[in-house]
Amino acid sequence: MKNIINIIKYNFAKYNMGVGKVFYIIGLILILLVNISTFTRIPYVSEILSFINIGFVATFLAVNFITSIVIFYKQVSREEGRLIFTFPIKSWEFIMAKFIEFIIIQGGFAVIVYLFSLISANSVSSLVRLVSISTALGTIVAYIFIASFTVIFSSYFSNVVLVTLAVIFGGGFIQSIVEGVIWAVTRVFPYVYMRVGTLIEVDLIKTLLSLAWTGVLVYMAIYHLDKKLDII
């Protein structure tokens, strides 16, 4: 656990400075300003600003998602992976630290927007909460899957273009097969769900199977990264 914390500190210190630091500071300031501005009681103005807020939050989380994937690939590459290939850390510690780091950033911004929307309480605030949380969760899940596939395929290809194509097409193909299997299995069992709020209904069996597949995929990523380190 100590190594995981140290890796997170290292990543925040190294990659959240310079342009990255400016990006996060500006993003945080704009999010605060836009959310505070939604407190106005001028008719329709608060709602319009809330829609702007939705677009900005979704864009920020998407941009951070893309840049985080790029940074992750660089850190597991032989050319630029100084952290994983030089320091005495284990593969699972590195991968878990990267996942936690991304969750902190995405989740942190989503929670800020969520809390402000609770205070604003205009007619669009529920949509703001839904979009911010769903976008954060969606990008977190996508990050875990893409990062895991990146580690796996980068063990076989050294070219960034080939790895990218393998992740997109190979990873997408594998994921589609798994989704098909999960769908088939859920048809066998009765529909068991849990309701979260008034808008979200969670299929428990599908969720458990998806979590199991995620665990398998992450384990495979850790295994391949271990093999990659052994080769080095």
Side-chain angles (χ1 to χ4, degrees):
M1 188 64 185
K2 183 179 179 180
N3 278 345
I4 293 177
I5 295 174
N6 289 334
I7 295 169
I8 294 173
K9 289 180 179 178
Y10 174 88
N11 284 324
F12 276 119
K14 181 175 177 60
Y15 290 98
N16 296 331
M17 62 183 183
V19 177
K21 185 175 182 179
V22 172
F23 170 73
Y24 290 124
I25 291 176
I26 292 177
L28 180 60
I29 292 174
L30 289 176
I31 283 178
L32 291 175
L33 289 176
V34 172
N35 278 277
I36 291 173
S37 65
T38 61
F39 295 164
T40 180
R41 294 306 175 207
I42 301 175
Y44 304 113
V45 173
S46 179
E47 284 75 11
I48 293 173
L49 291 172
S50 291
F51 279 114
I52 295 175
N53 188 27
I54 290 173
F56 177 76
V57 171
T59 301
F60 175 85
L61 294 178
V63 171
N64 185 58
F65 165 73
I66 295 171
T67 55
S68 296
I69 289 294
V70 173
I71 291 173
F72 181 87
Y73 175 76
K74 289 181 178 180
Q75 287 190 319
V76 297
S77 67
R78 294 185 177 92
E79 293 76 18
E80 302 184 47
R82 178 173 176 269
L83 174 62
I84 186 65
F85 294 117
T86 305
F87 295 168
I89 58 177
K90 298 177 181 178
S91 298
W92 71 268
E93 293 174 330
F94 172 79
I95 290 179
M96 289 300 105
K98 293 301 296 182
F99 290 167
I100 294 172
E101 173 194 342
F102 186 74
I103 291 171
I104 290 173
I105 297 175
Q106 297 291 87
F109 276 89
V111 168
I112 290 173
V113 175
Y114 187 94
L115 294 176
F116 271 104
S117 67
L118 287 175
I119 301 173
S120 176
N122 59 41
S123 59
V124 190
S125 59
S126 60
L127 181 61
V128 173
R129 292 193 293 272
L130 178 63
V131 171
S132 61
I133 296 300
S134 60
T135 303
L137 289 176
T139 51
I140 288 171
V141 172
Y143 180 84
I144 292 173
F145 275 74
I146 293 175
S148 298
F149 278 124
T150 297
V151 173
I152 294 170
F153 287 118
S154 64
S155 299
Y156 302 100
F157 306 107
S158 58
N159 184 278
V160 61
V161 176
L162 292 178
V163 173
T164 302
L165 292 175
V167 171
I168 294 173
F169 295 104
F173 178 71
I174 294 172
Q175 187 61 31
S176 65
I177 293 177
V178 173
E179 289 291 337
V181 172
I182 292 176
W183 179 86
V185 172
T186 55
R187 299 284 77 79
V188 176
F189 297 95
Y191 181 60
V192 182
Y193 68 92
M194 178 178 66
R195 191 178 297 277
V196 181
T198 58
L199 298 175
I200 302 175
E201 192 173 279
V202 180
D203 186 332
L204 293 180
I205 296 177
K206 181 179 180 180
T207 300
L208 290 174
L209 291 173
S210 298
L211 288 174
W213 162 239
T214 303
V216 170
L217 185 62
V218 172
Y219 173 81
M220 291 172 61
I222 294 171
Y223 172 81
H224 279 78
L225 189 54
D226 277 332
K227 291 295 183 182
K228 195 173 183 180
L229 293 177
D230 289 340
I231 294 173
I232 298 299

